[in-house]
């Protein structure tokens, strides 16, 4: 059975939603025929261990996480065909490592307070968005990024900046995307700040689709 690794290490702010997110991925795996391991231990980032996994899920990881050896192992894993799915604060890590910026697609810059907003579904021909309509209204922490990844990635979701207070990125404002890095498939969603997110059916389907895409358990 395919196996996915959920990585939860933080060296900066630690989101209270991480336990709920890890449990949600475990439940999704049980329901959709993939095994899930959860760790915050970087010792697993070695070539002989990473090869066991179809995809890695970075669940709100923050700060500087890895030694140079861990970095080499992760880059080799992805470029060699491994999958990566970043969730929310995965964009708030490893700022001095250029490959990680390429992997996630954009760097976190700032956010306003948690509030409702309207998500615009830009691409419904993807496992992470096929279940959604044209718009999706929900409550989250709406990230601004240091620069838009739009020219480098396939944008799946954007947020309507007129639908909430404190937006500072400008339109279009991407929230979720996918792209290839070497032979690896990468997915990122900025959603998932709150523990409640991981109980929402629409968000769980979004997360599942992203993981299955990264792990090559679903189409593109």
């Amino acid at each position: 059975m395919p196996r996915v690794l959920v990585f939860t290490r933080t060296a900066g702010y630690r989101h209270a939603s991480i336990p709920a997110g890890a449990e949600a991925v475990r439940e999704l795996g049980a329901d959709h025929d993939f095994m899930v391991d959860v760790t915050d231990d970087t010792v697993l980032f070695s070539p002989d261990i990473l090869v066991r996994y179809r995809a890695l899920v970075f669940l709100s990881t923050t700060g500087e996480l890895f030694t140079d050896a861990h970095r080499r192992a992760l880059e080799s894993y992805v470029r060699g065909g491994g999958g990566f799915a970043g969730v929310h604060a995965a964009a708030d890590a490893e700022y001095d490592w250029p490959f990680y910026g390429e992997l996630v697609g954009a760097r976190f810059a700032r956010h306003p307070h948690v509030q409702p907003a309207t998500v615009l579904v830009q691409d419904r021909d993807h496992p992470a968005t096929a279940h959604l309509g044209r718009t999706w209204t929900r409550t989250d922490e709406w990230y601004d990024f240091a620069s838009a990844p739009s020219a480098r990635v396939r944008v799946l979701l954007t947020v309507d900046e007129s639908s909430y207070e404190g937006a500072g990125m400008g339109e279009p404002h991407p929230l979720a995307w996918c792209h290839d890095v070497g032979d690896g498939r990468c997915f990122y969603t900025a959603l998932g700040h709150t523990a409640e997110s991981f109980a929402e059916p629409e968000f769980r389907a979004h997360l599942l689709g992203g993981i299955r895409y990264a792990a090559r358990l679903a189409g593109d």
Side-chain angles (χ1 to χ4, degrees):
M1 184 180 293
R3 187 180 293 268
V4 167
L5 179 65
V6 178
F7 185 53
T8 62
R9 188 177 184 87
T10 55
Y13 181 80
R14 187 169 184 84
H15 280 72
S17 60
I18 288 174
E23 183 58 27
V25 179
R26 284 192 181 102
E27 292 172 358
L28 291 170
D31 291 343
H32 296 276
D33 300 319
F34 59 90
M35 299 180 69
V36 177
D37 295 332
V38 178
T39 189
D40 64 359
D41 194 342
T42 57
V43 73
L44 274 64
F45 284 77
S46 66
D48 58 323
I49 294 177
L50 290 180
V51 73
R52 304 173 188 172
Y53 296 100
R54 294 287 290 271
L56 312 177
V57 180
F58 276 43
L59 181 59
S60 283
T61 47
T62 58
E64 302 306 311
L65 306 169
F66 297 123
T67 66
D68 287 346
H70 298 142
R71 289 177 171 184
R72 287 192 296 271
L74 176 57
E75 181 170 357
S76 177
Y77 168 82
V78 174
R79 293 198 186 280
F84 173 87
V87 180
H88 194 56
D92 188 25
E94 292 288 343
Y95 284 90
D96 65 346
W97 184 20
F99 172 76
Y100 191 81
E102 178 186 359
L103 181 64
V104 178
R107 301 285 195 179
F108 165 76
R110 67 192 69 82
H111 63 76
H113 63 277
V114 175
Q115 59 191 297
T118 300
V119 177
L120 307 176
V121 182
Q122 301 294 340
D123 186 339
R124 296 185 65 240
D125 190 23
H126 189 277
T129 51
H131 63 291
L132 298 170
R134 294 186 179 275
T135 63
W136 181 21
T137 300
R138 61 185 308 277
T139 297
D140 215 308
E141 184 178 71
W142 307 102
Y143 275 8
D144 287 343
F145 297 98
S147 62
S150 305
R152 305 183 302 275
V153 303
R154 174 183 170 187
V155 175
L156 305 176
L157 302 175
T158 60
V159 62
D160 179 356
E161 289 197 341
S162 70
S163 69
Y164 69 103
E165 297 178 351
M169 190 170 172
E171 305 281 8
H173 184 148
L175 286 181
W177 54 79
C178 63
H179 62 296
D180 293 340
V181 175
D183 291 331
R185 276 187 176 181
C186 303
F187 166 82
Y188 172 78
T189 180
L191 306 178
H193 172 76
T194 68
E196 291 80 7
S197 295
F198 295 95
E200 297 173 16
E202 294 88 352
F203 178 75
R204 287 170 70 103
H206 174 61
L207 180 62
L208 173 65
I211 294 170
R212 285 174 52 82
Y213 166 82
R216 300 181 188 273
L217 300 174
D220 57 7

